[in-house]
Amino acid sequence: MSEAPKSRQARPDRRALSAAARVYAVQALFQMEAADQSADRVVREFSNWRIGVDYEEGTSPEADEDLFKRIVDATVNWQARIDQMTDRALVAKWPIARIDPVLRALFRAAGAELVGSDVPPRVVISEYVAVADAFFPDGRETRFVNAVLDHMARDARPDAF
C-alpha cells in the first residue's frame, strides 16, 4: 500500500494541534481495544493515514504527533494504574469495563496525561471535557467526564489542588 499524501497547508496554532492530538489519541485507544491492535500498529496507521491527510471530502486536522504518541505510549505503560484510578472515580456499580468504550478510551488518555506528564491537572480536565463534548455533543457525558476526571486528578496529583 502506498501512503496517503500529507497536507501541506498552513499549520494550525499549538493549542489546536494539541487538541487534535488528544482527539486522535482517544480514537486510537478506542481502535486498539475494539480491534485488539497494538499501539505501534495504530500509531503508525494514524501517522500515515489519518493525521493531516487529504481526502476527497477534505483534509483531516493536523496534530501534535509527538503528543499523540506520548499519550498512547503512556496509556499502554500506565494502563493498570489509570484503570484503577478510573474505577475509584466511578460509582461502584459502574466499573471501567462497563462504561462506553469511547469514554473508557478518553479516561485512559486523560489518565495518561495526569500520571505521565507535567501538564497541569486543570488543563488536562478542561482539554478532555472538550474532547468529550466533541464525541458527545448533547452535553450529558461532558458533566460526567468532568466529575470523573476531577476525581482522577485529585487521586493522581493531590498536590496540584
Side-chain angles (χ1 to χ4, degrees):
M1 288 186 174
S2 63
E3 289 189 15
K6 290 277 189 164
S7 172
R8 299 292 174 220
Q9 298 173 351
R11 303 235 345 136
D13 66 43
R14 196 173 129 237
R15 184 159 188 220
L17 293 171
S18 296
R22 289 178 173 105
V23 170
Y24 286 129
V26 170
Q27 292 173 331
L29 294 169
F30 174 87
Q31 180 176 327
M32 287 168 55
E33 181 179 347
D36 195 27
Q37 295 176 332
S38 71
D40 289 339
R41 178 179 176 173
V42 173
V43 165
R44 202 170 37 252
E45 177 184 323
F46 273 72
S47 292
N48 292 336
W49 297 97
R50 298 213 185 160
I51 299 174
V53 175
D54 291 324
Y55 294 99
E56 287 181 22
E57 302 82 24
T59 302
S60 62
E62 287 286 340
D64 179 338
E65 290 192 50
D66 289 335
L67 176 60
F68 164 73
K69 290 174 189 172
R70 281 194 313 270
I71 293 168
V72 172
D73 288 343
T75 302
V76 171
N77 291 335
W78 296 100
Q79 184 171 333
R81 180 177 175 190
I82 294 164
D83 285 355
Q84 289 169 358
M85 282 184 350
T86 307
D87 275 339
R88 287 190 297 270
L90 294 169
V91 176
K93 292 182 278 188
W94 292 102
I96 192 168
R98 288 188 59 197
I99 64 170
D100 180 277
V102 174
L103 288 175
R104 188 168 40 250
L106 185 146
F107 291 142
R108 287 177 174 158
E113 288 202 66
L114 291 169
V115 170
S117 80
D118 60 356
V119 176
R122 293 181 198 281
V123 172
V124 173
I125 293 167
S126 175
E127 291 296 319
Y128 283 96
V129 166
V131 171
D133 190 48
F135 283 108
F136 303 99
D138 69 9
R140 291 184 322 233
E141 288 84 356
T142 57
R143 291 188 298 276
F144 174 65
V145 165
N146 187 59
V148 171
L149 292 182
D150 183 68
H151 191 282
M152 289 174 65
R154 289 172 191 279
D155 186 1
R157 308 229 315 255
D159 54 309
F161 291 90

